[in-house]
Amino acid sequence: MSELWEDQGFAPISPEKLLYQDPGQRRTEFMLYAEGVDWTDPDHVRRALLVFEDFLRKYDEETYQWRHESSPTPDAWREDIRVRLERDGLVLDDSGKITWSTPPVLDRDLTR
């Protein structure tokens, strides 16, 4: 998981600074990086969305056979993520690309 974040230039925060508490190792690792994202910086958000796209692609590849053998609705997870992203004004297309449904207005755009 760390390589997906680091491929986009993110580094984890120190564990002592982590506000999120969970016994799960993968969730904790994810949050060490996610809490290091400056969600007010458009470049950070853009790169974080690329990380999320990579996570979705990797999960889909690694669990495809298991999901299709063990579930009557093997792709329900994708619809659940799609709905959650839409709540935040984002769109997940069929290829796994995440984009804004309506791009946010940035302060720099207002000063032009």
Side-chain angles (χ1 to χ4, degrees):
M1 180 180 309
S2 60
E3 69 273 3
L4 299 177
W5 286 102
E6 291 170 9
D7 284 349
Q8 294 301 326
F10 290 106
I13 63 170
S14 68
E16 299 80 34
K17 293 182 179 179
L18 185 63
L19 301 176
Y20 178 83
Q21 298 298 317
D22 188 287
Q25 181 181 353
R26 285 180 293 190
R27 289 185 198 143
T28 298
E29 183 179 7
F30 177 90
M31 291 307 295
L32 285 170
Y33 286 89
E35 286 191 17
V37 175
D38 179 355
W39 296 102
T40 65
D41 180 331
D43 184 58
H44 272 228
V45 173
R46 180 189 61 76
R47 291 186 294 123
L49 292 177
L50 292 174
V51 172
F52 296 163
E53 289 175 9
D54 291 341
F55 274 124
L56 295 176
R57 198 170 300 108
K58 185 171 184 168
Y59 176 81
D60 192 30
E61 291 169 1
E62 291 180 356
T63 65
Y64 181 85
Q65 184 174 351
W66 171 80
R67 286 182 290 111
H68 286 265
E69 292 172 353
S70 63
S71 174
T73 55
D75 295 319
W77 67 275
R78 185 177 287 274
E79 184 57 28
D80 181 52
I81 291 172
R82 186 184 320 275
V83 168
R84 292 170 187 261
L85 288 170
E86 285 175 0
R87 290 179 188 159
D88 288 329
L90 298 162
V91 176
L92 174 64
D93 70 19
D94 292 336
S95 71
K97 180 93 174 127
I98 301 171
T99 55
W100 293 102
S101 54
T102 305
V105 176
L106 304 174
D107 287 339
R108 70 168 189 244
D109 297 332
L110 296 173
T111 59
R112 290 183 186 177

